[in-house]
Amino acid sequence: MTETAPGASLAEIRNLLDGMPDASPLPATLPGDPDLFQALHAWLSSWQARAAPSLARPRAALYLGCYDDASAGMAESIAADIQNGDAPVLRLCQDFDADLRLYEMAAGPAPDLDEAACATAMAYGMMAVEDGLDLLCVTGIGPGVDPAGLALADAVFADSGDPLDVLRRLGGHALAGMAGAVLAARIARVPVMLDGIAAAAAGAVLHQMDERALDHCLIGPLDPGGSHAALLERIGKAPVADFGIAPPPGCGGLIALPVLRGAVASQAGLSVVGPVAD
């Protein structure tokens, strides 16, 4: 991790979960619902706590991990492409008027973190949530991140103990960071788009602690292969729209952004083009 995160403990993380605000959950039948735009508008309005929801300030938060020492060079290349403006996700953010934040997490096989290290990684992830955000797209990228996420999710669902302890032992820094971001957004009432397997796996940790913990989350396009769909079924989620494609890293949540903007615009009787202001 390249920035200094505030100190934290897993006990503090548990206290945050106990203090989550309530809002109307997304209807389970949302995907394919003929009233999709109306349901999305109502959901955004509930979480943003305003009658006219806005998507003028979305943010894509990318958590770059590397769960294989041999692939460290690949992770460095991914970071360089984003920082140099050569990655598709950056161009998509520019086209969709979205902010982009890259969080470079510790590299190497997922370590057995101590409590302080796990809590610090979660606190670092929480830094993606700031006042004024309308939507946070959370994505895990980098070599081995998705397999590590699937392994974490399998362990969380199989273990009857504390999900945070499973995260500490198996998640490593990137997955812990994403879990922190999702939790911080829940506390701040910021709607979240979970993009891809790793983000859904990080969310599964919170879901196993409290089934309401992901009520503020939508799911981006479905990853191919079946593993993503199986994981989403376990956390009671489905994609807002499945475009039948595997988008470039970090782009899945952003590709779904026009669907949300369409919902905001259609319910307000405004143009769908561009950000929608209050």
Side-chain angles (χ1 to χ4, degrees), residues 99-120:
D99 182 35
L100 176 64
R101 296 293 174 90
L102 173 65
Y103 297 91
E104 297 183 61
M105 312 303 285
D112 187 349
L113 302 174
D114 60 30
E115 287 206 10
C118 183
T120 298

Side-chain angles (χ1 to χ4, degrees), residues 7 9 28 33 47 51 55 119 127 129 140 147 166 200 205 219 225 256-257:
S9 70
D33 190 329
W47 281 106
L55 286 170
M127 295 169 67
V129 180
V166 180
V205 175
I219 305 296
L257 181 56

Side-chain angles (χ1 to χ4, degrees), residues 165-190:
D165 188 60
V166 180
L167 176 65
R168 176 190 67 77
R169 290 186 286 108
L170 299 177
H173 295 86
L175 287 157
M178 282 184 282
V182 174
L183 176 57
R186 181 68 167 78
I187 300 302
R189 303 182 66 99
V190 175

Side-chain angles (χ1 to χ4, degrees), residues 10-249:
L10 292 185
E12 292 171 326
I13 298 296
R14 295 183 186 96
N15 288 338
L16 288 175
L17 275 159
D18 290 339
M20 292 186 303
D22 290 326
S24 299
L26 190 69
T29 57
L30 184 92
D33 190 329
D35 296 323
L36 173 65
F37 275 12
Q38 182 177 353
L40 288 172
H41 184 278
W43 177 80
L44 283 167
S45 178
S46 177
W47 281 106
Q48 293 183 358
R50 47 190 173 189
S54 170
L55 286 170
R57 195 187 170 201
R59 170 173 292 170
L62 277 58
Y63 292 84
L64 175 60
C66 178
Y67 287 78
D68 179 2
D69 283 331
S71 301
M74 184 184 300
E76 293 173 1
S77 178
I78 292 171
D81 284 346
I82 294 172
Q83 292 162 355
N84 295 334
D86 296 327
V89 64
L90 183 60
R91 294 191 289 273
L92 208 57
C93 282
Q94 292 169 342
D95 287 345
F96 289 168
D97 198 19
D99 182 35
L100 176 64
R101 296 293 174 90
L102 173 65
Y103 297 91
E104 297 183 61
M105 312 303 285
D112 187 349
L113 302 174
D114 60 30
E115 287 206 10
C118 183
T120 298
M122 294 185 74
Y124 183 70
M126 290 177 179
M127 295 169 67
V129 180
E130 297 175 350
D131 291 342
L133 287 184
D134 300 318
L135 179 75
L136 183 69
C137 299
V138 177
T139 310
I141 61 174
V145 171
D146 284 350
L150 290 174
L152 171 65
D154 286 344
V156 163
F157 288 114
D159 194 316
S160 60
D162 181 3
L164 283 182
D165 188 60
V166 180
L167 176 65
R168 176 190 67 77
R169 290 186 286 108
L170 299 177
H173 295 86
L175 287 157
M178 282 184 282
V182 174
L183 176 57
R186 181 68 167 78
I187 300 302
R189 303 182 66 99
V190 175
V192 167
M193 184 74 71
L194 295 177
D195 175 14
I197 290 172
V205 175
L206 304 177
H207 178 269
Q208 285 301 95
M209 299 183 73
D210 189 320
E211 290 186 352
R212 303 172 301 146
L214 301 183
D215 283 352
H216 66 310
C217 294
L218 294 175
I219 305 296
L222 195 65
D223 285 1
S227 297
H228 192 197
L231 173 55
L232 295 181
E233 184 175 358
R234 298 174 91 170
I235 61 175
K237 296 286 185 180
V240 172
D242 183 9
F243 302 109
I245 60 173

